[in-house]
Amino acid sequence: MNLFLSVGAMKAGTTWLYSQLESNPDLYFTPEKEIHFLNHFYVNNKILRDEFRLNQARNKLKNINISHIGVYRMLSRWYAMYLEKPGDFSWYERLFSLNKNQKFNCDFSNLSCHLEREHWIDLKNRGYNLKLIYVLRDPLRRLWSHLKFHHEFSGKSLDFHTWSVNKFKEFISRKFIWDNCTYTNYISEMSEVFDKNEFQLLYFEDITSNPTVELYRIEDFLQVRHHTYDPNRLEKKVNVSKKISIPNNFLIAANQMLATEYNGLEKLGVRIHESWETI
C-alpha cells in the first residue's frame, strides 16, 4: 500500500494543505482528515474510543450537503468500516479499500508525529511504501496560535493580557501543549528511520508565500502529476483563530521556553526560516 502521511505540526497549515491536495486525482483521502490510528495503535489506545468515532460520524453525515445518493452510499459504507472496533492494521487498511485508482492513500493526522523511533521502525517494516511530510512554523507564532485555538475550542476566555509570565509558562508546560512545540525530537527520530526520499520537511511560511510552488514540491516528492489548483481556494484560509495582539508576558515566557528548541534545530542542521522571530 502506498501511504502518504502528513504528521504535523499542529497549527502549521496542515488543514489548508489537506483542503488543496484532496482535489488532486492521484491522491485518495478518506472522509476523515485525521484518522489517528497510528497514535491509537502505538501511543494512546483511548484516542479512537467508541464515543469519539460515533461523534465524528454523526457530525459528518449531519453537516455535509449531499445531493447525490451515490455520495451518501459511499460515505455510509466508509463510516460503517470506521465505526468497527479499531484493532490491528487490517482495520486501518480497510479504511482505504474504497480507493480504486489513486496512487497514494493519505492520512493527515497531526497526532502521528508523537510516535517514537521504534514505532516508526515497526511501521516501516510492515512493507508500506511510505512518504512523510512534517510542516514547521515559527515556533513562537505556532504556539500563540495553538493557545488561542485551544481556548476558543474549549469555550474559555481569550483575555490573556492579564496573565503573568509564570501563568503563561504553566500553561505552555502542559503536556498537550508542549508536546506540539518540540520539533527537534520528532524530526530527529523520523530522520533516523526514513531517508530524504521518504521524509521531507516543509515550512508554513513558504506555503503561505508560494502555495503553488510548495504544492508542486509535494507532488514531485510523491512522484504524482502536477494538478491545477483553484486560485480562489489557494487564497482561502482555514481554521483561522481570532486575532489578538500578543502580550509581552507571553513573549517573555515563550522565548525563554523555546530557546532550547531553536538550539536543537540548529544542531540537527534544520533550516531556521529567515522569517522566524529568532530568540
Side-chain angles (χ1 to χ4, degrees):
M1 181 170 74
N2 295 334
L3 188 58
F4 171 37
L5 305 176
S6 171
V7 298
M10 186 176 183
K11 302 306 295 178
T14 55
T15 300
W16 180 90
L17 270 181
Y18 164 84
S19 72
Q20 304 302 323
L21 291 172
E22 67 173 344
S23 66
N24 187 305
D26 288 331
L27 304 178
Y28 175 77
F29 286 87
T30 64
E32 289 290 321
K33 164 184 171 273
E34 297 186 291
I35 301 174
H36 294 319
F37 173 76
L38 299 179
N39 188 283
H40 170 88
F41 185 82
Y42 289 114
V43 181
N44 179 7
N45 64 7
K46 299 294 192 298
I47 292 290
L48 289 176
R49 60 194 182 279
D50 290 351
E51 307 93 292
F52 173 80
R53 288 178 292 113
L54 180 58
N55 187 60
Q56 294 296 102
R58 280 174 172 167
N59 288 338
K60 185 72 172 187
L61 294 174
K62 177 178 67 176
N63 295 327
I64 194 168
N65 182 19
I66 302 173
S67 58
H68 192 281
I69 190 170
V71 175
Y72 196 87
R73 185 185 300 118
M74 181 276 294
L75 288 172
S76 299
R77 287 176 62 195
W78 191 86
Y79 276 101
M81 294 185 287
Y82 178 71
L83 290 172
E84 293 173 3
K85 199 75 172 177
D88 57 18
F89 272 80
S90 61
W91 179 89
Y92 187 52
E93 291 172 9
R94 282 198 299 276
L95 298 186
F96 301 108
S97 63
L98 300 183
N99 176 11
K100 303 304 180 185
N101 299 306
Q102 285 132 307
K103 182 174 180 179
F104 271 94
N105 297 302
C106 307
D107 180 3
F108 275 38
S109 302
N110 288 339
L111 292 179
S112 296
C113 72
H114 298 155
L115 272 62
E116 298 178 1
R117 182 176 178 272
E118 59 266 28
H119 302 147
W120 290 121
I121 292 172
D122 180 76
L123 181 62
K124 187 172 184 178
N125 288 340
R126 290 179 181 272
Y128 300 129
N129 175 29
L130 286 164
K131 297 281 189 177
L132 283 72
I133 60 171
Y134 185 71
V135 185
L136 290 79
R137 180 182 181 182
D138 180 334
L140 188 144
R141 294 285 175 179
R142 194 220 63 82
L143 177 57
W144 177 242
S145 179
H146 191 176
L147 186 152
K148 291 189 298 175
F149 172 79
H150 170 74
H151 279 70
E152 285 187 66
F153 183 78
S154 56
K156 296 181 179 179
S157 170
L158 300 178
D159 184 14
F160 305 118
H161 292 276
T162 61
W163 285 21
S164 66
V165 171
N166 285 337
K167 187 169 182 179
F168 275 116
K169 284 185 175 181
E170 178 186 349
F171 182 82
I172 295 168
S173 297
R174 295 180 183 181
K175 182 175 174 59
F176 72 95
I177 295 291
W178 186 246
D179 278 356
N180 290 286
C181 298
T182 53
Y183 300 157
T184 304
N185 179 56
Y186 303 134
I187 293 170
S188 175
E189 298 203 340
M190 286 185 280
S191 297
E192 289 178 7
V193 178
F194 301 101
D195 61 34
K196 291 182 179 179
N197 293 320
E198 300 168 313
F199 174 53
Q200 191 168 99
L201 296 176
L202 289 90
Y203 290 80
F204 171 87
E205 292 77 14
D206 292 338
I207 292 169
T208 53
S209 61
N210 297 293
T212 302
V213 170
E214 294 304 299
L215 288 168
Y216 284 177
R217 184 182 169 205
I218 294 171
E219 290 170 341
D220 290 341
F221 172 60
L222 298 174
Q223 296 182 321
V224 298
R225 295 168 293 178
H226 285 183
H227 176 60
T228 301
Y229 294 92
D230 182 347
N232 294 320
R233 292 186 67 190
L234 288 174
E235 300 298 323
K236 186 177 181 180
K237 296 181 179 180
V238 295
N239 281 357
V240 180
S241 57
K242 186 175 181 180
K243 287 189 176 181
I244 304 173
S245 58
I246 300 180
N248 190 55
N249 283 347
F250 169 81
L251 293 175
I252 295 171
N255 282 338
Q256 290 177 3
M257 296 187 69
L258 290 169
T260 55
E261 188 61 26
Y262 283 95
N263 292 335
L265 290 173
E266 289 180 336
K267 287 180 180 179
L268 280 179
V270 174
R271 168 190 169 207
I272 303 297
H273 197 277
E274 55 274 12
S275 71
W276 288 5
E277 297 182 23
T278 53
I279 298 169

